[in-house]
Amino acid sequence: MEESRQQSEKRNAPIGVFDSGVGGLTVVREIMRQIPEEPIVYFGDTARVPYGSKSRATIIRYSEQIIRFLKTQQVKAIVIACNTASAYALDEVRRQLDIPIIGVVRPGAKVAAQVTKNGRIGVIGTEGTIHSQLYTKVIREEKPEYQVIGKACPLFVPLVEEQWLKDQVTEEVARRYLKELQDSGIDTLILGCTHYPLLRSTVGKVMGENVTLVNPAYETALELKALLKKENLSFAGEEPEEKYRFFVSDDPTKFQEFADRILPCQVRQTKQIRIDEY
Ligand code: DGL
């Protein structure tokens, strides 16, 4: 049966991805790798970053505004790339939406519950993500007997943004933060913040090869791919001229530099918008 025009317009619409700033580009990068044909509209809330130390109510309000903006871009589905916003706002905003939306916490938590052998899982993230305990809840839904140990590592975000990925200072900070997780005998560690996949080698070095690192950004891209297929929303058109569009709420210069460093393609243009008008 031939697809209606409306349905094909819908499936060829972009995916909306948002984060508090640049970190969500680690999720965009995985989406570009797993489903390279999909167009993406990205919003980074660079004027209001960080989200990790803000309250649940504020994060919900910010997320609602961003979703209203993404809807003006006719997105077919939304990915909350920010761990803190996924932890605090996903359930709330999902109730108000008529398109599919996923966060990064569930995909990461589910895989961690599958890969651990000893049932002891560590989670590192922002204060908000750890405080929300959502990783723990999701893992315990699958495996109530598992032990989950959370640790907030707030200094990691500025270190990544400073590009000190393999620096001695970063390694020392990692040793201090991760000490109690090492002592607790975890065999799996979730990199529960957008920036942390960029510290993978430093964290891996500190934790040792017996600890499996789980990257929620990667798992989310896989889940998104499966979701689009299930909902009959996978892209099937001609490649659009402006396949990737980037928006931020503050000056785009730094964002653009970061994006060009970590994405597999060059970002042509980043537009600044007034997010508080949405
Ligand atoms: N994107 C945030 C997260 O994944 C980290 C940066 C912030 O605190 O806003 O939780």
Side-chain angles (χ1 to χ4, degrees):
M1 201 179 58
E2 217 184 304
E3 199 172 51
S4 73
R5 217 179 97 186
Q6 212 184 9
Q7 182 59 32
S8 97
E9 265 173 23
K10 203 171 153 195
R11 61 152 71 227
N12 294 335
I15 299 159
V17 182
F18 79 87
D19 176 50
S20 54
V22 295
L25 294 171
T26 58
V27 178
V28 168
R29 177 171 75 167
E30 298 299 342
I31 297 172
M32 287 175 170
R33 285 178 183 153
Q34 299 303 323
I35 28 181
E37 63 283 5
E38 292 292 340
I40 298 171
V41 175
Y42 180 88
F43 175 77
D45 202 356
T46 48
R48 304 190 292 198
V49 70
Y51 280 14
S53 51
K54 295 198 170 71
S55 71
R56 177 188 296 268
T58 299
I59 300 304
I60 291 175
R61 184 163 56 82
Y62 288 176
S63 301
E64 286 172 342
Q65 283 177 331
I66 296 166
I67 287 168
R68 282 197 283 275
F69 163 69
L70 289 174
K71 293 276 285 191
T72 68
Q73 303 296 304
Q74 270 82 40
V75 296
K76 63 183 171 190
I78 292 177
V79 178
I80 307 186
C82 178
N83 283 258
T84 311
S86 300
Y88 276 159
L90 177 62
D91 289 344
E92 187 63 35
V93 294
R94 180 178 271 148
R95 268 183 247 137
Q96 311 162 17
L97 264 182
D98 55 356
I99 55 171
I101 181 163
I102 59 170
V104 286
V105 171
R106 265 175 202 279
K110 277 204 245 161
V111 168
Q114 284 157 16
V115 301
T116 179
K117 295 202 171 65
N118 71 3
R120 283 167 182 262
I121 300 169
V123 186
I124 50 176
T126 63
E127 284 161 43
T129 300
I130 299 306
H131 179 77
S132 79
Q133 297 227 330
L134 187 61
Y135 274 107
T136 310
K137 277 180 218 149
V138 177
I139 291 167
R140 291 260 175 84
E141 272 165 30
E142 309 258 320
K143 300 277 180 186
E145 70 281 14
Y146 281 4
Q147 238 194 314
V148 185
I149 302 117
K151 175 78 186 165
C153 306
L155 291 177
F156 280 170
V157 167
L159 288 168
V160 168
E161 295 196 7
E162 209 51 46
Q163 281 295 308
W164 292 11
L165 305 183
K166 293 181 186 165
D167 194 277
Q168 255 187 343
V169 170
T170 309
E171 196 178 313
E172 180 53 31
V173 171
R175 287 197 190 285
R176 283 175 71 166
Y177 276 145
L178 300 175
K179 175 86 175 62
E180 66 186 74
L181 293 175
Q182 281 172 313
D183 293 347
S184 65
I186 57 164
D187 72 351
T188 304
L189 178 61
I190 302 171
L191 304 173
C193 173
T194 45
H195 292 60
Y196 300 180
L198 298 169
L199 292 178
R200 192 183 185 109
S201 72
T202 299
V203 172
K205 186 174 167 193
V206 172
M207 293 306 292
E209 57 190 21
N210 294 332
V211 175
T212 306
L213 302 182
V214 172
N215 177 2
Y218 171 76
E219 308 304 337
T220 302
L222 293 183
E223 185 151 323
L224 175 67
K225 185 177 181 177
L227 173 79
L228 295 177
K229 202 162 164 213
K230 184 173 134 244
E231 301 281 332
N232 205 16
L233 284 174
S234 302
F235 184 84
E238 305 256 311
E239 183 164 318
E241 209 182 301
E242 237 196 325
K243 188 168 164 190
Y244 301 129
R245 282 178 285 149
F246 296 88
F247 296 88
V248 288
S249 50
D250 200 5
D251 184 278
T253 318
K254 266 189 112 175
F255 175 89
Q256 184 110 7
E257 279 168 21
F258 195 93
D260 285 338
R261 265 201 307 265
I262 76 157
L263 292 181
C265 64
Q266 202 72 3
V267 174
R268 262 190 270 159
Q269 199 196 2
T270 306
K271 287 197 194 121
Q272 184 176 352
I273 58 157
R274 290 284 311 264
I275 194 64
D276 44 0
E277 285 174 358
Y278 288 87

